[in-house]
């Protein structure tokens, strides 16, 4: 069977609802025989056929939106999906803070390493600046600090004091 679409399932559900409504009207108006019994039997047969068709089509539905099984289980347990969403957002925010901290620590390490490399190997200054820029660092700030240290500048002394280890980023040290 070809993949079913949401509109196909929706059409089958609408037909099923219409048959259900017709069935309820016929049951209410049932008088115990003759033509009403025959009409009721035909409506019940149409209801069963519609249910059967829906049951055959539904497994072939290609979902437009994939719902995570955790959410389905959460709702099936009778819990509020809004609470799940709130908890999920809190977890993502916490994770984002952790990742941000790691990124800041690596940026500091990058700056210290660049300064040290330029201080020890001044001939690689251009390559170091290129790497620092390509990894999100400022326009050669770390390499310039390394050269300043070589010349006895204050920026080099800041690196020796562990400026990157206290959470400073290259941009905050460059502006100092």
């Amino acid at each position: 069977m070809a993949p079913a679409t949401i509109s196909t399932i929706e059409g089958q559900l609408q037909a099923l609802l219409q048959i259900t409504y017709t069935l309820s009207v016929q049951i209410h108006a049932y008088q115990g025989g003759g033509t009403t019994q025959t009409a009721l039997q035909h409506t019940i047969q149409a209801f069963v056929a519609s249910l059967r068709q829906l049951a055959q089509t539904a497994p072939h539905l290609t979902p437009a939106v994939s719902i995570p099984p955790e959410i389905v289980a959460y709702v099936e347990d009778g819990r509020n999906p809004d609470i799940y969403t709130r908890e999920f957002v809190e977890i993502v925010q916490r994770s984002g803070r952790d990742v941000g901290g790691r990124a800041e620590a690596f940026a500091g390490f990058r700056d210290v390493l660049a300064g040290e490399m330029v201080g020890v190997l001044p001939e690689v200054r251009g390559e170091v600046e290129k790497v620092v820029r390509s990894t999100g660092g400022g326009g050669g700030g770390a390499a310039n600090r390394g050269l300043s240290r070589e010349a006895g500048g204050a920026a080099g002394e800041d690196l020796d004091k562990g400026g990157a280890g206290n959470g400073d980023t290259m941009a905050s040290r460059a502006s100092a």
Side-chain angles (χ1 to χ4, degrees), residues 29-172:
Y30 184 68
Q31 296 179 358
T35 57
T36 56
Q37 183 175 357
T38 306
L40 189 59
Q41 285 175 342
H42 287 298
T43 305
I44 291 172
Q45 289 171 350
F47 182 76
V48 169
S50 182
L51 278 175
R52 196 173 285 135
Q53 182 183 17
L54 182 63
Q56 290 172 351
T57 306
H60 302 288
L61 176 65
T62 54
V65 176
S66 178
I67 299 173
E70 298 86 18
I71 294 177
V72 174
Y74 204 86
V75 172
E76 285 177 347
D77 290 341
R79 297 164 70 188
N80 187 345
D82 291 339
I83 294 170
Y84 178 86
T85 303
R86 182 172 13 105
E87 290 172 354
F88 184 75
V89 167
E90 289 171 359
I91 290 169
V92 167
Q93 287 174 339
R94 232 178 289 125
S95 175
R97 282 192 300 266
D98 292 345
V99 169
R102 285 188 198 122
E104 191 172 313
F106 277 114
F109 175 71
R110 174 200 60 219
D111 296 346
V112 170
L113 181 62
E116 291 293 322
M117 287 183 68
V118 169
V120 174
L121 302 167
E123 63 272 6
V124 297
R125 178 177 182 223
E127 289 83 5
V128 169
E129 286 179 352
K130 181 179 174 185
V131 169
V132 168
R133 274 194 305 274
S134 70
T135 57
N144 288 338
R145 278 195 302 281
L147 290 176
S148 296
R149 177 162 79 315
E150 226 182 323
E157 293 168 11
D158 287 342
L159 283 175
D160 289 338
K161 293 178 186 174
N166 63 11
D168 291 343
T169 62
M170 187 170 88
S172 65

Side-chain angles (χ1 to χ4, degrees), residues 6-37:
I6 298 249
S7 60
T8 305
I9 299 291
E10 187 176 324
Q12 289 177 352
L13 285 171
Q14 287 175 349
L16 187 62
L17 287 173
Q18 181 60 45
I19 293 170
T20 304
Y21 175 76
T22 304
L23 190 59
S24 68
V25 169
Q26 287 178 348
I27 289 171
H28 181 69
Y30 184 68
Q31 296 179 358
T35 57
T36 56
Q37 183 175 357

